[in-house]
Amino acid sequence: MGSRGAALTTRHRRNVGLLLRFGVVGVSGVLVNLLTLVVLRRFGPHFDEAVVAIGSSGFNLRWYHVYSTLAFLVANLSNFQLNRTWTFKSNLAARWWREYWPFLVVGLAGQVIGLALLTLLMHPGSPISLPSDVFDDSSGLRNRLYWSQLIVITVVTPLSFVLNKLWTFAAVRSARLGLLEEGRGDDVHVP
């Protein structure tokens, strides 16, 4: 195999490794997210109660939107720190705040998409709402909110990976590429 083929193989192997590490962090984030959601649901108002009406649209901001957003924020912070130090190893390439804001922005974009999907999954009039005869909220395994949140996380994760790799943790690539160009990074790993 030529040097170009070897470089592509190495690059793809690295990307698969990054995706696997991102997935492990994601699984921990799912656990953090759901644990936070369970705590909020247990100690807060009923998740289906309206918090505030959204104009005259007939839709309401509901507690499940609030719970989902708070659970996202807690998991986002946990995921950021793990991705920064383990997945992308960028903790020495850029300052914490400099990387966290893009990570948060990517996460918030995903959360907005996720809240729309969550609403569609939870709203009884939606064509994709989870069936209330199966998900009757009688137990944790039959809880519409938990299953809806899992579906949302599954849909949003691939988008989050791509945007975080290309934008949030880009500093690590540029810093390591700079070391390679200066001749100081023979053993530098460039994601």
Side-chain angles (χ1 to χ4, degrees):
M1 182 182 319
S3 64
R4 182 179 170 147
L8 283 173
T9 301
T10 301
R11 182 177 181 186
H12 290 303
R13 189 176 307 129
R14 260 190 305 248
N15 283 335
V16 167
L18 286 174
L19 182 59
L20 289 174
R21 279 184 265 161
F22 190 82
V24 169
V25 170
V27 167
S28 76
V30 169
L31 295 175
V32 168
N33 188 301
L34 289 176
L35 180 62
T36 304
L37 195 66
V38 167
V39 169
L40 291 169
R41 182 182 172 272
R42 179 167 295 237
F43 295 108
H46 190 275
F47 63 86
D48 227 0
E49 288 180 23
V51 177
V52 68
I54 301 175
S56 60
S57 67
F59 285 93
N60 297 304
L61 174 67
R62 299 194 178 274
W63 280 106
Y64 64 78
H65 295 112
V66 175
Y67 295 165
S68 175
T69 301
L70 290 172
F72 153 75
L73 289 170
V74 172
N76 180 267
L77 191 57
S78 170
N79 283 3
F80 171 73
Q81 192 57 44
L82 289 171
N83 277 317
R84 177 176 161 79
T85 57
W86 185 56
T87 304
F88 298 106
K89 296 180 178 151
S90 65
N91 54 321
L92 300 176
R95 300 185 101 174
W96 192 89
W97 283 105
R98 187 167 183 217
E99 281 186 338
Y100 181 65
W101 289 114
F103 189 81
L104 181 61
V105 167
V106 168
L108 287 171
Q111 180 65 8
V112 168
I113 293 166
L115 286 173
L117 180 57
L118 184 67
T119 301
L120 292 172
L121 291 166
M122 295 288 292
H123 194 279
S126 166
I128 64 168
S129 69
L130 295 181
S132 58
D133 56 330
V134 175
F135 300 100
D136 60 5
D137 302 327
S138 62
S139 70
L141 292 175
R142 294 178 67 130
N143 188 287
R144 287 180 306 133
L145 178 59
Y146 300 158
W147 284 103
S148 295
Q149 188 78 349
L150 277 171
I151 292 167
V152 165
I153 291 168
T154 302
V155 169
V156 171
T157 296
L159 172 68
S160 176
F161 171 74
V162 170
L163 291 176
N164 279 309
K165 183 179 185 304
L166 295 177
W167 183 40
T168 305
F169 297 106
V172 71
R173 283 193 314 282
S174 61
R176 288 183 180 156
L177 286 173
L179 289 174
L180 285 173
E181 289 171 359
E182 294 173 12
R184 296 186 302 151
D186 294 337
D187 60 343
V188 174
H189 165 74
V190 179

mmCIF file of all heavy atoms in Angstrom, residues 39-71:
data_model
loop_
_atom_site.group_PDB
_atom_site.id
_atom_site.type_symbol
_atom_site.label_atom_id
_atom_site.label_comp_id
_atom_site.label_asym_id
_atom_site.label_seq_id
_atom_site.Cartn_x
_atom_site.Cartn_y
_atom_site.Cartn_z
ATOM 1 N N VAL A 39 -33.952 12.175 39.180
ATOM 2 C CA VAL A 39 -33.973 12.976 40.417
ATOM 3 C C VAL A 39 -34.927 14.156 40.266
ATOM 4 O O VAL A 39 -35.756 14.424 41.153
ATOM 5 C CB VAL A 39 -32.549 13.442 40.797
ATOM 6 C CG1 VAL A 39 -32.580 14.483 41.900
ATOM 7 C CG2 VAL A 39 -31.694 12.250 41.195
ATOM 8 N N LEU A 40 -34.837 14.855 39.142
ATOM 9 C CA LEU A 40 -35.724 16.007 38.921
ATOM 10 C C LEU A 40 -37.184 15.576 38.870
ATOM 11 O O LEU A 40 -38.060 16.235 39.440
ATOM 12 C CB LEU A 40 -35.338 16.729 37.627
ATOM 13 C CG LEU A 40 -34.004 17.470 37.660
ATOM 14 C CD1 LEU A 40 -33.599 17.913 36.263
ATOM 15 C CD2 LEU A 40 -34.069 18.660 38.607
ATOM 16 N N ARG A 41 -37.459 14.472 38.181
ATOM 17 C CA ARG A 41 -38.835 13.973 38.080
ATOM 18 C C ARG A 41 -39.374 13.565 39.450
ATOM 19 O O ARG A 41 -40.517 13.817 39.783
ATOM 20 C CB ARG A 41 -38.896 12.789 37.115
ATOM 21 C CG ARG A 41 -40.303 12.264 36.935
ATOM 22 C CD ARG A 41 -40.307 11.052 36.016
ATOM 23 N NE ARG A 41 -41.615 10.460 35.998
ATOM 24 C CZ ARG A 41 -42.041 9.523 36.856
ATOM 25 N NH1 ARG A 41 -41.228 9.085 37.796
ATOM 26 N NH2 ARG A 41 -43.256 9.044 36.786
ATOM 27 N N ARG A 42 -38.525 12.945 40.232
ATOM 28 C CA ARG A 42 -38.951 12.463 41.545
ATOM 29 C C ARG A 42 -39.263 13.601 42.507
ATOM 30 O O ARG A 42 -40.217 13.535 43.278
ATOM 31 C CB ARG A 42 -37.886 11.559 42.149
ATOM 32 C CG ARG A 42 -38.258 11.037 43.536
ATOM 33 C CD ARG A 42 -37.355 9.944 43.943
ATOM 34 N NE ARG A 42 -37.561 8.819 43.044
ATOM 35 C CZ ARG A 42 -37.897 7.605 43.439
ATOM 36 N NH1 ARG A 42 -38.052 7.373 44.708
ATOM 37 N NH2 ARG A 42 -38.057 6.649 42.576
ATOM 38 N N PHE A 43 -38.451 14.657 42.484
ATOM 39 C CA PHE A 43 -38.597 15.720 43.473
ATOM 40 C C PHE A 43 -39.285 16.975 42.948
ATOM 41 O O PHE A 43 -39.572 17.882 43.718
ATOM 42 C CB PHE A 43 -37.232 16.079 44.075
ATOM 43 C CG PHE A 43 -36.638 14.953 44.864
ATOM 44 C CD1 PHE A 43 -35.546 14.249 44.377
ATOM 45 C CD2 PHE A 43 -37.187 14.565 46.075
ATOM 46 C CE1 PHE A 43 -35.005 13.189 45.092
ATOM 47 C CE2 PHE A 43 -36.661 13.514 46.798
ATOM 48 C CZ PHE A 43 -35.564 12.816 46.306
ATOM 49 N N GLY A 44 -39.540 17.041 41.654
ATOM 50 C CA GLY A 44 -40.167 18.228 41.083
ATOM 51 C C GLY A 44 -41.633 17.994 40.766
ATOM 52 O O GLY A 44 -42.182 16.922 41.035
ATOM 53 N N PRO A 45 -42.271 18.983 40.178
ATOM 54 C CA PRO A 45 -43.665 18.829 39.755
ATOM 55 C C PRO A 45 -43.790 17.740 38.699
ATOM 56 O O PRO A 45 -42.807 17.335 38.078
ATOM 57 C CB PRO A 45 -44.006 20.198 39.155
ATOM 58 C CG PRO A 45 -42.954 21.128 39.626
ATOM 59 C CD PRO A 45 -41.740 20.311 39.904
ATOM 60 N N HIS A 46 -45.020 17.276 38.453
ATOM 61 C CA HIS A 46 -45.243 16.249 37.437
ATOM 62 C C HIS A 46 -44.713 16.755 36.103
ATOM 63 O O HIS A 46 -44.952 17.902 35.720
ATOM 64 C CB HIS A 46 -46.729 15.898 37.325
ATOM 65 C CG HIS A 46 -46.962 14.689 36.474
ATOM 66 N ND1 HIS A 46 -47.074 14.773 35.106
ATOM 67 C CD2 HIS A 46 -47.070 13.383 36.792
ATOM 68 C CE1 HIS A 46 -47.254 13.561 34.603
ATOM 69 N NE2 HIS A 46 -47.256 12.699 35.621
ATOM 70 N N PHE A 47 -44.004 15.890 35.397
ATOM 71 C CA PHE A 47 -43.300 16.313 34.186
ATOM 72 C C PHE A 47 -44.225 16.793 33.071
ATOM 73 O O PHE A 47 -43.805 17.526 32.186
ATOM 74 C CB PHE A 47 -42.383 15.203 33.663
ATOM 75 C CG PHE A 47 -43.088 13.947 33.239
ATOM 76 C CD1 PHE A 47 -43.594 13.815 31.953
ATOM 77 C CD2 PHE A 47 -43.226 12.885 34.123
ATOM 78 C CE1 PHE A 47 -44.226 12.656 31.555
ATOM 79 C CE2 PHE A 47 -43.855 11.721 33.734
ATOM 80 C CZ PHE A 47 -44.356 11.606 32.451
ATOM 81 N N ASP A 48 -45.494 16.419 33.091
ATOM 82 C CA ASP A 48 -46.409 16.798 32.017
ATOM 83 C C ASP A 48 -47.168 18.098 32.308
ATOM 84 O O ASP A 48 -47.894 18.583 31.451
ATOM 85 C CB ASP A 48 -47.403 15.661 31.764
ATOM 86 C CG ASP A 48 -47.550 15.333 30.296
ATOM 87 O OD1 ASP A 48 -46.874 15.979 29.465
ATOM 88 O OD2 ASP A 48 -48.343 14.439 29.973
ATOM 89 N N GLU A 49 -46.994 18.653 33.495
ATOM 90 C CA GLU A 49 -47.662 19.909 33.831
ATOM 91 C C GLU A 49 -47.050 21.064 33.052
ATOM 92 O O GLU A 49 -45.844 21.093 32.807
ATOM 93 C CB GLU A 49 -47.534 20.205 35.324
ATOM 94 C CG GLU A 49 -48.375 19.322 36.201
ATOM 95 C CD GLU A 49 -48.213 19.669 37.676
ATOM 96 O OE1 GLU A 49 -47.827 20.818 38.001
ATOM 97 O OE2 GLU A 49 -48.456 18.780 38.494
ATOM 98 N N ALA A 50 -47.900 22.007 32.688
ATOM 99 C CA ALA A 50 -47.433 23.192 31.958
ATOM 100 C C ALA A 50 -46.726 24.147 32.915
ATOM 101 O O ALA A 50 -47.155 24.339 34.048
ATOM 102 C CB ALA A 50 -48.605 23.890 31.283
ATOM 103 N N VAL A 51 -45.644 24.736 32.444
ATOM 104 C CA VAL A 51 -44.935 25.762 33.186
ATOM 105 C C VAL A 51 -45.437 27.126 32.726
ATOM 106 O O VAL A 51 -45.776 27.981 33.531
ATOM 107 C CB VAL A 51 -43.405 25.658 32.981
ATOM 108 C CG1 VAL A 51 -42.673 26.777 33.699
ATOM 109 C CG2 VAL A 51 -42.891 24.301 33.427
ATOM 110 N N VAL A 52 -45.495 27.310 31.404
ATOM 111 C CA VAL A 52 -45.955 28.565 30.829
ATOM 112 C C VAL A 52 -46.478 28.287 29.412
ATOM 113 O O VAL A 52 -45.954 27.432 28.704
ATOM 114 C CB VAL A 52 -44.821 29.622 30.822
ATOM 115 C CG1 VAL A 52 -43.709 29.259 29.867
ATOM 116 C CG2 VAL A 52 -45.341 30.999 30.499
ATOM 117 N N ALA A 53 -47.528 29.008 29.039
ATOM 118 C CA ALA A 53 -48.089 28.866 27.693
ATOM 119 C C ALA A 53 -47.188 29.579 26.691
ATOM 120 O O ALA A 53 -46.593 30.611 26.991
ATOM 121 C CB ALA A 53 -49.496 29.446 27.637
ATOM 122 N N ILE A 54 -47.088 29.007 25.506
ATOM 123 C CA ILE A 54 -46.300 29.624 24.437
ATOM 124 C C ILE A 54 -47.259 30.384 23.533
ATOM 125 O O ILE A 54 -47.812 29.846 22.580
ATOM 126 C CB ILE A 54 -45.503 28.565 23.647
ATOM 127 C CG1 ILE A 54 -44.577 27.821 24.595
ATOM 128 C CG2 ILE A 54 -44.719 29.227 22.515
ATOM 129 C CD1 ILE A 54 -43.830 26.672 23.962
ATOM 130 N N GLY A 55 -47.468 31.638 23.898
ATOM 131 C CA GLY A 55 -48.386 32.488 23.141
ATOM 132 C C GLY A 55 -49.767 31.876 23.033
ATOM 133 O O GLY A 55 -50.271 31.252 23.964
ATOM 134 N N SER A 56 -50.371 32.040 21.881
ATOM 135 C CA SER A 56 -51.696 31.452 21.643
ATOM 136 C C SER A 56 -51.583 30.223 20.747
ATOM 137 O O SER A 56 -52.524 29.859 20.057
ATOM 138 C CB SER A 56 -52.619 32.499 21.006
ATOM 139 O OG SER A 56 -52.066 32.917 19.769
ATOM 140 N N SER A 57 -50.412 29.567 20.781
ATOM 141 C CA SER A 57 -50.146 28.431 19.896
ATOM 142 C C SER A 57 -50.849 27.151 20.333
ATOM 143 O O SER A 57 -50.923 26.208 19.570
ATOM 144 C CB SER A 57 -48.642 28.167 19.827
ATOM 145 O OG SER A 57 -48.177 27.708 21.080
ATOM 146 N N GLY A 58 -51.323 27.100 21.563
ATOM 147 C CA GLY A 58 -51.887 25.861 22.079
ATOM 148 C C GLY A 58 -50.816 24.946 22.666
ATOM 149 O O GLY A 58 -51.122 23.895 23.194
ATOM 150 N N PHE A 59 -49.557 25.348 22.549
ATOM 151 C CA PHE A 59 -48.462 24.570 23.133
ATOM 152 C C PHE A 59 -48.002 25.255 24.412
ATOM 153 O O PHE A 59 -48.174 26.458 24.591
ATOM 154 C CB PHE A 59 -47.285 24.457 22.157
ATOM 155 C CG PHE A 59 -47.532 23.494 21.039
ATOM 156 C CD1 PHE A 59 -48.047 23.940 19.831
ATOM 157 C CD2 PHE A 59 -47.273 22.142 21.194
ATOM 158 C CE1 PHE A 59 -48.285 23.062 18.796
ATOM 159 C CE2 PHE A 59 -47.504 21.256 20.171
ATOM 160 C CZ PHE A 59 -48.011 21.712 18.963
ATOM 161 N N ASN A 60 -47.417 24.459 25.281
ATOM 162 C CA ASN A 60 -46.915 24.957 26.554
ATOM 163 C C ASN A 60 -45.484 24.504 26.756
ATOM 164 O O ASN A 60 -45.097 23.430 26.286
ATOM 165 C CB ASN A 60 -47.744 24.405 27.717
ATOM 166 C CG ASN A 60 -49.176 24.866 27.664
ATOM 167 O OD1 ASN A 60 -49.446 26.053 27.633
ATOM 168 N ND2 ASN A 60 -50.099 23.922 27.631
ATOM 169 N N LEU A 61 -44.745 25.321 27.481
ATOM 170 C CA LEU A 61 -43.474 24.865 28.001
ATOM 171 C C LEU A 61 -43.845 23.993 29.198
ATOM 172 O O LEU A 61 -44.536 24.439 30.106
ATOM 173 C CB LEU A 61 -42.620 26.060 28.434
ATOM 174 C CG LEU A 61 -41.312 25.723 29.124
ATOM 175 C CD1 LEU A 61 -40.357 25.055 28.157
ATOM 176 C CD2 LEU A 61 -40.691 26.988 29.697
ATOM 177 N N ARG A 62 -43.424 22.754 29.158
ATOM 178 C CA ARG A 62 -43.790 21.806 30.217
ATOM 179 C C ARG A 62 -42.567 21.476 31.069
ATOM 180 O O ARG A 62 -41.439 21.739 30.676
ATOM 181 C CB ARG A 62 -44.387 20.549 29.606
ATOM 182 C CG ARG A 62 -45.653 20.846 28.823
ATOM 183 C CD ARG A 62 -46.445 19.579 28.502
ATOM 184 N NE ARG A 62 -47.659 19.925 27.800
ATOM 185 C CZ ARG A 62 -48.802 20.273 28.377
ATOM 186 N NH1 ARG A 62 -48.884 20.312 29.689
ATOM 187 N NH2 ARG A 62 -49.860 20.574 27.660
ATOM 188 N N TRP A 63 -42.852 20.877 32.212
ATOM 189 C CA TRP A 63 -41.754 20.537 33.107
ATOM 190 C C TRP A 63 -40.782 19.575 32.453
ATOM 191 O O TRP A 63 -39.590 19.612 32.741
ATOM 192 C CB TRP A 63 -42.280 19.996 34.441
ATOM 193 C CG TRP A 63 -42.711 21.108 35.330
ATOM 194 C CD1 TRP A 63 -43.981 21.483 35.638
ATOM 195 C CD2 TRP A 63 -41.857 22.040 35.991
ATOM 196 N NE1 TRP A 63 -43.974 22.594 36.445
ATOM 197 C CE2 TRP A 63 -42.673 22.957 36.683
ATOM 198 C CE3 TRP A 63 -40.470 22.209 36.059
ATOM 199 C CZ2 TRP A 63 -42.159 24.003 37.444
ATOM 200 C CZ3 TRP A 63 -39.968 23.253 36.811
ATOM 201 C CH2 TRP A 63 -40.803 24.135 37.494
ATOM 202 N N TYR A 64 -41.238 18.710 31.550
ATOM 203 C CA TYR A 64 -40.286 17.800 30.917
ATOM 204 C C TYR A 64 -39.282 18.559 30.053
ATOM 205 O O TYR A 64 -38.150 18.114 29.891
ATOM 206 C CB TYR A 64 -40.955 16.652 30.162
ATOM 207 C CG TYR A 64 -41.812 16.987 28.963
ATOM 208 C CD1 TYR A 64 -41.254 17.304 27.729
ATOM 209 C CD2 TYR A 64 -43.200 16.916 29.050
ATOM 210 C CE1 TYR A 64 -42.042 17.562 26.624
ATOM 211 C CE2 TYR A 64 -44.002 17.163 27.943
ATOM 212 C CZ TYR A 64 -43.416 17.490 26.733
ATOM 213 O OH TYR A 64 -44.202 17.732 25.635
ATOM 214 N N HIS A 65 -39.663 19.718 29.514
ATOM 215 C CA HIS A 65 -38.700 20.546 28.787
ATOM 216 C C HIS A 65 -37.637 21.091 29.745
ATOM 217 O O HIS A 65 -36.444 21.093 29.428
ATOM 218 C CB HIS A 65 -39.403 21.731 28.103
ATOM 219 C CG HIS A 65 -40.361 21.330 27.031
ATOM 220 N ND1 HIS A 65 -41.717 21.499 27.168
ATOM 221 C CD2 HIS A 65 -40.165 20.775 25.813
ATOM 222 C CE1 HIS A 65 -42.312 21.061 26.068
ATOM 223 N NE2 HIS A 65 -41.395 20.615 25.238
ATOM 224 N N VAL A 66 -38.083 21.544 30.902
ATOM 225 C CA VAL A 66 -37.165 22.074 31.915
ATOM 226 C C VAL A 66 -36.254 20.965 32.420
ATOM 227 O O VAL A 66 -35.026 21.132 32.489
ATOM 228 C CB VAL A 66 -37.948 22.710 33.087
ATOM 229 C CG1 VAL A 66 -37.003 23.146 34.209
ATOM 230 C CG2 VAL A 66 -38.795 23.885 32.591
ATOM 231 N N TYR A 67 -36.833 19.818 32.762
ATOM 232 C CA TYR A 67 -36.039 18.695 33.263
ATOM 233 C C TYR A 67 -35.021 18.229 32.236
ATOM 234 O O TYR A 67 -33.867 17.954 32.561
ATOM 235 C CB TYR A 67 -36.940 17.516 33.651
ATOM 236 C CG TYR A 67 -37.870 17.774 34.803
ATOM 237 C CD1 TYR A 67 -38.934 16.917 35.052
ATOM 238 C CD2 TYR A 67 -37.716 18.861 35.656
ATOM 239 C CE1 TYR A 67 -39.804 17.129 36.106
ATOM 240 C CE2 TYR A 67 -38.583 19.090 36.711
ATOM 241 C CZ TYR A 67 -39.626 18.208 36.930
ATOM 242 O OH TYR A 67 -40.485 18.423 37.975
ATOM 243 N N SER A 68 -35.451 18.132 30.991
ATOM 244 C CA SER A 68 -34.547 17.700 29.920
ATOM 245 C C SER A 68 -33.387 18.680 29.761
ATOM 246 O O SER A 68 -32.235 18.265 29.585
ATOM 247 C CB SER A 68 -35.314 17.571 28.600
ATOM 248 O OG SER A 68 -34.438 17.270 27.545
ATOM 249 N N THR A 69 -33.676 19.959 29.838
ATOM 250 C CA THR A 69 -32.635 20.968 29.676
ATOM 251 C C THR A 69 -31.653 20.950 30.851
ATOM 252 O O THR A 69 -30.433 21.033 30.646
ATOM 253 C CB THR A 69 -33.258 22.365 29.502
ATOM 254 O OG1 THR A 69 -34.114 22.331 28.344
ATOM 255 C CG2 THR A 69 -32.205 23.435 29.340
ATOM 256 N N LEU A 70 -32.157 20.821 32.069
ATOM 257 C CA LEU A 70 -31.265 20.738 33.231
ATOM 258 C C LEU A 70 -30.412 19.469 33.176
ATOM 259 O O LEU A 70 -29.204 19.512 33.458
ATOM 260 C CB LEU A 70 -32.073 20.798 34.524
ATOM 261 C CG LEU A 70 -32.720 22.153 34.833
ATOM 262 C CD1 LEU A 70 -33.657 22.045 36.030
ATOM 263 C CD2 LEU A 70 -31.672 23.225 35.048
ATOM 264 N N ALA A 71 -31.021 18.348 32.795
ATOM 265 C CA ALA A 71 -30.275 17.096 32.664
ATOM 266 C C ALA A 71 -29.204 17.233 31.577
ATOM 267 O O ALA A 71 -28.077 16.755 31.738
ATOM 268 C CB ALA A 71 -31.222 15.945 32.346
#
